[in-house]
Amino acid sequence: MAEPLLAVKNLRTQFFTEEGVVNAVNGVSYDVMPGEILGLVGESGCGKTVSALSILRLIPSPPGKIVEGEIMFEGENILKMDDEEIRHIRGNKIGMIFQEPMTSLNPVLTIGRQLTETLELHLKMDKQGATQRAIELLEMVGIPEAKSRIGDYPHQFSGGMRQRVMIAMALSCNPKLLLADEPTTALDVTIQAQILELLTRLTRELGTAVIIITHNLGVVARYADRVNVMYAGRVIETATAAELYANPRHPYTLGLLRSVPRLDEIRKEKLDPIEGMPPDLIHMDSGCPFRPRCRFQVERCKTENPPLISVGDAHSAACWEWEKVRKEEPAAATV
């Protein structure tokens, strides 16, 4: 069996604030295999982005700090690398597409310079070679008249084109792993589909593993091989995409699927939203963090936070009452 490209083990990232310690990522563990597309799903504030930033050690300090765990990439622990070693990893072996391209791109540098800088630093290209490669990258991601547009600034590009530039930058050094943090949030639906198809095609061609961070269940259903569902800083369910949508085993996953309309059925009744609010990550007790919103809760849920346990073939869930969830109809969204 192949070794995982990335192995995250018991990762804990905290933010030390005046109100208290925020447990943003609270004991997360998962693997990413070479060439695999992993979906990371959950509500805003569940720890998706912080877990991705932790992989590249981009947590702002202060107030943030990775306090525990291992992040093994190609057999080496990223958390034990010095600054020079991690700079060699960022943008070279691990690329990242950030949420908002307008704020991620430097407004005072041309698109060409932002592309060539990475190529010169990591691939040791000269200025002429880097410029030619930058033009090829823009053409690869579908920017028209790339040769004439390489001297333009970010504000001269539309939102969809800026996102294409971000993809070109992330893939410029042929990374082994790509972190795509809500890559289509600011785009309209038509452009979202184009960007995701482009991203998937390019990563498949390059053999790049991808972690797609999103709250969009349709994106996960269409593009991910495997899915991790996060809640309150923890992975609370993991399975292949097909298995997760057909057989959710955690009440939160079931609620997410039921809150999305199906396009293949006649609308008969109102959607079934998840009642309540996500927990306060500063004041966490020893029980299950989802129990205030859960209709399956039992007395044990108040005092014991369930670990991930096997509930099927390559399928795990953190729920004491997963057998009850199994009997429910998921009403999953389709794409």
Side-chain angles (χ1 to χ4, degrees), residues 26 231-232 234 236 250 284-291 300-308 318-320:
N26 194 12
Y231 188 80
R234 299 176 65 229
I236 51 91
H250 194 283
M284 301 281 287
D285 60 27
S286 60
C288 174
F290 186 66
R291 75 180 185 280
R300 188 180 187 184
C301 301
K302 296 179 180 179
T303 56
E304 297 181 58
N305 194 355
L308 276 173
C319 180
W320 299 123

Side-chain angles (χ1 to χ4, degrees), residues 17-309:
T17 70
E18 293 181 358
E19 289 77 18
V21 179
V22 179
N23 297 287
V25 176
N26 194 12
V28 165
S29 299
Y30 61 87
D31 295 340
V32 181
M33 304 303 292
E36 180 181 38
I37 297 180
L38 174 69
L40 209 55
V41 181
E43 293 171 292
S44 296
C46 71
K48 305 186 302 295
T49 296
V50 174
S51 65
L53 293 175
S54 298
I55 292 172
L56 285 175
R57 281 177 34 191
L58 291 175
I59 300 298
S61 178
K65 184 179 181 181
I66 300 172
V67 297
E68 190 178 337
E70 290 184 348
I71 301 175
M72 305 299 295
F73 178 72
E74 294 188 315
E76 295 187 43
N77 190 352
I78 287 177
L79 299 184
K80 292 188 176 180
M81 292 180 179
D82 60 31
D83 291 344
E84 184 62 32
E85 289 175 313
I86 193 61
R87 277 196 293 268
H88 180 69
I89 295 289
R90 294 186 193 126
N92 185 19
K93 293 186 176 182
I94 303 179
M96 185 160 187
I97 302 172
F98 294 92
Q99 279 194 35
E100 177 48 63
M102 193 61 208
T103 56
S104 300
L105 294 169
N106 192 324
V108 300
L109 295 180
T110 65
I111 293 298
R113 181 56 191 145
Q114 295 184 63
L115 281 164
T116 58
E117 184 177 31
T118 302
L119 297 168
E120 292 171 8
L121 175 65
H122 292 302
L123 301 186
K124 309 303 180 185
M125 288 185 172
D126 58 26
K127 185 175 181 181
Q128 183 178 356
T131 300
Q132 182 57 43
R133 176 58 178 161
I135 294 171
E136 293 172 0
L137 287 166
L138 291 181
E139 291 173 344
M140 181 179 73
V141 297
I143 300 293
E145 302 178 1
K147 190 173 183 179
S148 62
R149 302 223 60 183
I150 199 169
D152 289 349
Y153 290 86
H155 72 271
Q156 295 174 280
F157 284 68
S158 67
M161 291 176 71
R162 286 194 293 267
Q163 195 63 286
R164 289 171 185 266
V165 171
M166 289 293 296
I167 292 174
M169 291 176 65
L171 295 176
S172 60
C173 296
N174 297 331
K176 301 284 186 68
L177 175 65
L178 179 66
L179 310 176
D181 187 7
E182 305 270 11
T184 60
T185 297
L187 307 176
D188 63 60
V189 175
T190 304
I191 303 301
Q192 282 185 26
Q194 293 176 6
I195 293 296
L196 288 166
E197 291 290 348
L198 171 68
L199 178 61
T200 305
R201 177 177 62 81
L202 292 176
T203 52
R204 293 295 192 201
E205 290 175 358
L206 297 171
T208 303
V210 185
I211 298 178
I212 295 182
I213 300 167
T214 183
H215 57 267
N216 189 325
L217 293 170
V219 168
V220 171
R222 185 178 180 92
Y223 298 103
D225 301 314
R226 196 159 48 89
V227 184
N228 286 347
V229 181
M230 289 192 68
Y231 188 80
R234 299 176 65 229
V235 174
I236 51 91
E237 186 162 10
T238 179
T240 64
E243 168 68 12
L244 188 87
Y245 277 69
N247 304 300
R249 294 290 183 261
H250 194 283
Y252 178 62
T253 309
L254 180 68
L256 288 178
L257 295 174
R258 284 186 163 184
S259 65
V260 178
R262 290 187 62 148
L263 302 179
D264 60 337
E265 290 186 354
I266 298 174
R267 184 173 176 180
K268 299 177 182 178
E269 56 186 26
K270 293 182 179 180
L271 295 176
D272 184 13
I274 302 174
E275 300 293 341
M277 297 291 291
D280 183 347
L281 297 181
I282 295 177
H283 303 103
M284 301 281 287
D285 60 27
S286 60
C288 174
F290 186 66
R291 75 180 185 280
R293 310 170 72 183
C294 182
R295 60 190 178 87
F296 297 96
Q297 65 169 298
V298 294
E299 192 65 26
R300 188 180 187 184
C301 301
K302 296 179 180 179
T303 56
E304 297 181 58
N305 194 355
L308 276 173
I309 57 175

